[in-house]
């Protein structure tokens, strides 16, 4: 799969477009107290950033049946939080839209929380698939593909976690793993994303390559 095919960008939100890392750590610790799983220290948080999502759940000693309840409470907390976008986010989204790229959100967070944080940039997105379960993003990606009519070869999932890479692969879609979010570089590399992305400009170049190939 080559960069010149990407005409639909499906973005994760937290850690990819929004600088919510510190909030996520605090919320995780609140959930540990509320739901009785292992509460990580600062040094342990850094260790967890190098693991896959399944490895993290095992380390935290969270049984699968508890995940929907934890996710529900996390979304409620997010609704009361003030989360800032990364400084590059607004420019990134504007430049992608100017290239004629379709933009979508695929996230575990709620649409209300995401639209509030995005502000005017929310209007650049044509599709929102929100409230995904921890490992339910594959189904949400498929819904966006069906709604847009885009084939998998024209789509790319952009995220900061191993599960984003895995969800993209499950649907035959390319992935761009960003290094500025939650997971450490080595964890992302081990998941074998299509692209490992260092800056927002790298994402814009993927869209520009399409325009150049059509000229």
């Amino acid at each position: 799969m080559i960069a010149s095919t990407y005409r639909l960008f499906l973005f994760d939100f937290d850690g990819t477009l929004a600088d919510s890392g510190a909030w996520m750590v605090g919320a995780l610790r609140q959930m540990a107290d509320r739901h009785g799983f292992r509460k990580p220290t600062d040094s342990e948080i850094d260790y967890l950033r190098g693991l896959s999502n399944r490895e993290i759940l095992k380390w935290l000693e969270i049984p699968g049946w508890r995940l929907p309840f934890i996710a529900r409470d996390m979304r409620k907390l997010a609704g009361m939080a003030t989360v800032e976008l990364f400084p590059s986010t607004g420019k990134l989204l504007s430049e992608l839209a100017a290239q004629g790229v379709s933009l979508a959100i695929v996230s575990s967070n709620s649409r209300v929380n995401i639209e509030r944080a995005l502000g005017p940039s929310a209007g650049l997105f044509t599709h929102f698939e929100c409230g995904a379960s921890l490992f339910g993003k594959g189904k949400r990606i498929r819904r966006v593909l069906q709604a847009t009519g885009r084939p998998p070869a024209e789509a790319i999932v952009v995220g900061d976690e191993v599960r984003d890479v895995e969800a993209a692969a499950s649907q035959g879609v390319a992935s761009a793993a960003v290094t500025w979010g939650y997971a450490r570089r080595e964890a992302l590399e081990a998941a074998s994303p299509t692209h490992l992305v260092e800056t927002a400009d790298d994402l814009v170049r993927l869209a520009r390559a399409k325009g150049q190939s059509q000229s």
Side-chain angles (χ1 to χ4, degrees):
M1 193 172 295
I2 59 174
S4 62
T5 62
Y6 308 141
R7 304 309 295 156
L8 170 63
F9 279 59
L10 300 94
F11 281 94
D12 169 55
F13 181 70
D14 290 293
T16 302
L17 297 177
D19 188 6
S20 49
W23 177 85
M24 290 292 290
V25 170
L28 177 66
R29 287 169 173 159
Q30 288 188 57
M31 292 301 100
D33 290 334
R34 184 176 302 177
H35 292 277
F37 59 85
R38 190 174 178 182
K39 183 160 69 172
T41 64
D42 287 346
S43 62
E44 289 169 339
I45 287 288
D46 189 59
Y47 166 72
L48 293 176
R49 292 179 64 233
L51 303 182
S52 71
N53 296 92
R54 288 177 175 81
E55 290 170 334
I56 291 169
L57 291 178
K58 183 177 179 180
W59 189 93
L60 291 173
E61 300 175 353
I62 299 176
W65 66 267
R66 275 198 176 274
L67 289 176
F69 303 101
I70 295 170
R72 176 201 61 197
D73 289 348
M74 288 281 280
R75 283 192 288 271
K76 288 180 180 178
L77 278 180
M80 298 181 284
T82 300
V83 175
E84 300 292 334
L85 302 178
F86 286 108
S88 60
T89 294
K91 181 173 178 285
L92 164 65
L93 298 176
S94 295
E95 291 188 354
L96 288 175
Q99 296 293 326
V101 171
S102 297
L103 302 179
I105 289 283
V106 178
S107 174
S108 298
N109 209 329
S110 74
R111 180 167 180 170
V112 170
N113 295 341
I114 292 170
E115 288 188 322
R116 184 180 69 239
L118 285 173
S121 294
L124 299 175
F125 289 86
T126 58
H127 292 83
F128 288 81
E129 280 291 338
C130 302
S133 63
L134 185 61
F135 297 110
K137 285 191 172 184
K139 179 173 66 176
R140 303 305 183 104
I141 292 168
R142 186 164 64 250
R143 287 181 184 175
V144 175
L145 293 175
Q146 292 170 344
T148 60
R150 293 283 185 183
E154 293 186 3
I156 185 166
V157 172
V158 184
D160 70 314
E161 295 183 66
V162 169
R163 65 181 176 130
D164 298 311
V165 177
E166 293 173 342
S170 75
Q171 303 303 311
V173 174
S175 56
V178 304
T179 59
W180 58 79
Y182 174 77
R184 290 211 308 257
R185 183 189 183 98
E186 58 265 32
L188 296 171
E189 286 180 328
S192 300
T194 313
H195 305 277
L196 193 65
V197 175
E198 304 285 354
T199 69
D201 287 340
D202 292 335
L203 293 173
V204 175
R205 279 190 283 273
L206 295 181
R208 285 177 177 164
K210 173 64 175 181
Q212 292 164 0
S213 69
Q214 289 179 323
S215 58

